[in-house]
Amino acid sequence: MLFPVIMAGGHGARLWPLSRQQHPKQFLPLVDESLSMLQATLMRLDGLNTASPLLICNEQHRFLAAEQVRQLSGLQAQIMLEPVGRNTAPAIALAALFAAEQLVGEQTCEQAEDALLLALPADHAMSDVPAFQAAVQAALPLARAGKLVTFGIAPTRAETGYGYLHRGSSIEGTDGFEVAQFVEKPDQARAEAYLATGDYDWNSGIFLFSATRYLQELARFQPEVLAACRAALAGSTRDLDFIRLDAEAFARCPAISVDYGVMEHTDAAAMVPLKAGWSDVGSWSALAEQLGQDERGNTLCGDVLTEQVDHCLIHADSRLVTALGVTNLVIVETKDAVLVAHKDKEQDVKRLVEQLEAQGRREHIIHRECYRPWGKFDAIDSGSRYQVKRITVNPGARLSLQMHHHRAEHWVVVSGTARVTQGEQVRLLSENQSVYIPLGQRHALENPGRIPLELIEVQSGTYLGEDDIVRFEDSYGRG
């Protein structure tokens, strides 16, 4: 039984300003306009004989994840919520424990112990899905034999942003190799030396091994991680379609990657080559490689005009972006931020994010346009005592019954139909009609129609923060 675990807990800071903490790159359609990175990862499993995937993500992304799974009609996936991020070794431990727990109820204990985990980051791209599936099939005998298998990528350049695998001897009768050494991200000189030897591969961060075997090695090298994950899963609860871990127990878990925690120490590591057009899309240049370049080496997305521009990536999200006489730049525009960086410095974008965090700003956390389980809103304008939002409510969706202590609201319907609750009164509003919600009044908004409801909301008051919401009823389990 192949049990996929999709790890979707990262923040993708190197792709700021597109990727933000509350809407990171795995939920963005970066390579395929019709699919997010997460959705493409899930679709990559189609054709493999697998159990329903387990998706592990941060609690704050639960509705994003659930909605994107729902959009893939016919796909069933279980979603486990991490109250805090603890890196990949604990995430895979949770999946291993959960897989055995799930399969014991459905099959014999022996089959449950033989469950093979296929651990996949949710934010990778692959252009050749059949080649990916062939590599997985080639790794199955090794995993069944007790090997902890990773997948290696033949390097095409002296890359300093990836970890490396020092390839050992071939494993007789298989397509695999022993892993002589795991090497962390090198400096430029060492990366060039690795490339010259031909004995090193990029570490893809994809793993295949028996759940039982992984837990055995975790118990040897990281017993604290295993104990914390057992306790967190034992205390977990079901909340709507989500599995909520025991927050206190999981907070005690050390934060460590599977590479550091297990793979660098085990004597059972093996590698299978992966030739599937893989990319971790971990930088703007990596994204440009996936999207392609024009005859001048430029990757242009959105409303962009250029003159005498070479080898640039220019992304326009909400307005016209023009460039003249520049080379080797990354220019990324969103509704609330613009990045201009030389390609030689793109690995340092995270330093800008760290500055934003240190200054107490929010542009690294959230976009001007924010997604909610019922739809989305765009914060169009704001001042000291007012805020204007464009709100979109999905067909059939409903906001919570709520009230505000510090602000009043005016709603103007632009398109669609709104069902508005004010105290005990319920009424329908259509296009060009409006309503006033005074401070302290219980109210709710619903879209009873079949098309999206669009409205303009004007808030006014002494405090306009998102935390000035008292919820009385909520369809999405929010307090």
Side-chain angles (χ1 to χ4, degrees):
M1 174 64 70
L2 193 59
F3 193 92
V5 51
I6 313 299
M7 299 177 289
H11 286 152
R14 285 180 293 176
L15 290 185
W16 183 85
L18 279 190
S19 181
R20 313 279 177 108
Q21 285 185 15
Q22 291 191 12
H23 203 126
K25 71 170 185 172
Q26 59 266 32
F27 299 107
L28 298 173
L30 294 177
V31 177
D32 185 333
E33 292 183 358
S34 62
L35 294 173
S36 71
M37 304 286 284
L38 167 63
Q39 290 172 323
T41 302
L42 289 166
M43 293 298 294
R44 209 169 289 141
L45 299 171
D46 188 20
L48 292 172
N49 182 21
T50 72
S52 295
L54 174 67
L55 172 59
I56 301 180
C57 69
N58 192 282
E59 189 273 341
Q60 67 180 341
H61 301 144
R62 64 194 186 280
F63 296 117
L64 267 175
E67 175 61 18
Q68 293 198 357
V69 171
R70 185 197 65 78
Q71 291 171 0
L72 300 176
S73 57
L75 178 70
Q76 299 295 320
Q78 302 195 71
I79 302 176
M80 183 178 289
L81 305 178
E82 292 182 319
V84 290
R86 286 295 181 260
N87 217 315
T88 54
I92 297 174
L94 291 166
L97 294 166
F98 183 75
E101 178 184 284
Q102 289 292 101
L103 294 174
V104 163
E106 301 172 8
Q107 306 179 50
T108 68
C109 290
E110 182 179 350
Q111 286 173 312
E113 290 178 358
D114 286 343
L116 299 180
L117 293 186
L118 177 61
L120 298 165
D123 57 356
H124 289 183
M126 292 186 208
S127 58
D128 191 341
V129 173
F132 159 71
Q133 296 186 355
V136 172
Q137 296 289 353
L140 288 174
L142 290 165
R144 292 192 185 105
K147 292 290 187 181
L148 276 62
V149 183
T150 186
F151 294 84
I153 312 298
T156 57
R157 61 184 181 276
E159 175 61 57
T160 61
Y162 296 153
Y164 284 72
L165 306 169
H166 187 188
R167 194 179 333 118
S169 58
S170 61
I171 300 175
E172 186 176 353
T174 74
D175 294 335
F177 298 84
E178 303 286 354
V179 177
Q181 183 185 13
F182 278 76
V183 182
E184 293 307 312
K185 297 175 182 178
D187 57 26
Q188 187 64 37
R190 284 193 299 154
E192 291 174 358
Y194 295 158
L195 184 64
T197 68
D199 294 332
Y200 288 81
D201 296 276
W202 290 336
N203 181 4
S204 70
I206 302 170
F207 302 93
L208 177 66
F209 35 63
S210 137
T212 302
R213 190 75 177 94
Y214 176 72
L215 293 175
Q216 289 172 347
E217 295 298 88
L218 193 67
R220 286 179 61 197
F221 303 118
Q222 305 296 333
E224 292 182 7
V225 171
L226 181 57
C229 288
R230 285 192 189 279
L233 192 59
S236 65
T237 58
R238 289 277 180 171
D239 176 13
L240 299 176
D241 297 326
F242 307 113
I243 303 161
R244 286 186 178 273
L245 300 171
D246 183 297
E248 184 177 340
F250 195 63
R252 293 195 293 268
C253 184
I256 190 168
S257 72
V258 65
D259 304 85
Y260 275 124
V262 175
M263 299 300 289
E264 291 186 4
H265 306 289
T266 184
D267 56 4
M271 186 275 286
V272 168
L274 176 61
K275 301 175 182 178
W278 171 92
S279 172
D280 75 340
V281 196
S283 67
W284 289 110
S285 289
L287 178 59
E289 287 181 5
Q290 292 294 308
L291 297 177
Q293 293 87 33
D294 61 19
E295 64 278 2
R296 301 194 67 150
N298 295 318
T299 301
L300 309 178
C301 307
D303 193 3
V304 178
L305 290 177
T306 64
E307 183 67 32
Q308 302 173 42
V309 170
D310 297 283
H311 306 295
C312 289
L313 182 147
I314 306 177
H315 180 106
D317 187 45
S318 65
R319 73 199 83 181
L320 170 66
V321 174
T322 63
L324 171 63
V326 295
T327 303
N328 287 331
L329 292 185
V330 173
I331 303 172
V332 182
E333 177 273 337
T334 66
K335 290 180 179 179
D336 62 348
V338 177
L339 168 71
V340 180
H342 196 279
K343 283 188 174 181
D344 289 346
K345 299 295 183 182
E346 63 178 354
Q347 292 289 343
D348 295 331
V349 171
K350 289 196 290 187
R351 295 186 182 181
L352 295 175
V353 174
E354 291 167 359
Q355 285 193 46
L356 292 171
E357 185 173 11
Q359 294 176 18
R361 301 184 63 129
R362 295 184 57 80
E363 288 91 341
H364 66 297
I365 298 174
I366 195 166
H367 281 279
R368 203 185 81 176
E369 187 172 74
C370 301
Y371 287 81
R372 293 292 184 264
W374 42 261
K376 62 182 179 179
F377 69 81
D378 185 358
I380 301 170
D381 192 18
S382 64
S384 61
R385 292 181 59 90
Y386 77 92
Q387 184 166 233
V388 183
K389 294 181 177 180
R390 180 188 297 112
I391 295 177
T392 303
V393 184
N394 296 329
R398 184 177 190 269
L399 282 68
S400 58
L401 179 64
Q402 59 185 252
M403 59 89 70
H404 310 293
H405 288 297
H406 304 287
R407 71 174 185 250
E409 297 175 345
H410 296 258
W411 297 341
V412 180
V413 177
V414 176
S415 64
T417 300
R419 180 182 286 133
V420 178
T421 299
Q422 286 185 277
E424 301 299 321
Q425 182 183 16
V426 179
R427 56 177 168 156
L428 294 177
L429 298 180
S430 56
E431 186 174 323
N432 292 324
Q433 293 184 314
S434 63
V435 63
Y436 169 64
I437 310 293
L439 182 150
Q441 183 179 62
R442 293 193 183 198
H443 60 278
L445 175 64
E446 183 179 357
N447 179 1
R450 296 183 178 181
I451 64 171
L453 165 64
E454 303 275 352
L455 58 87
I456 300 298
E457 175 184 84
V458 180
Q459 302 175 358
S460 59
T462 58
Y463 179 72
L464 305 172
E466 283 295 301
D467 54 349
D468 181 24
I469 300 177
V470 179
R471 292 190 174 93
F472 303 100
E473 296 174 10
D474 186 63
S475 302
Y476 312 106
R478 298 171 297 174

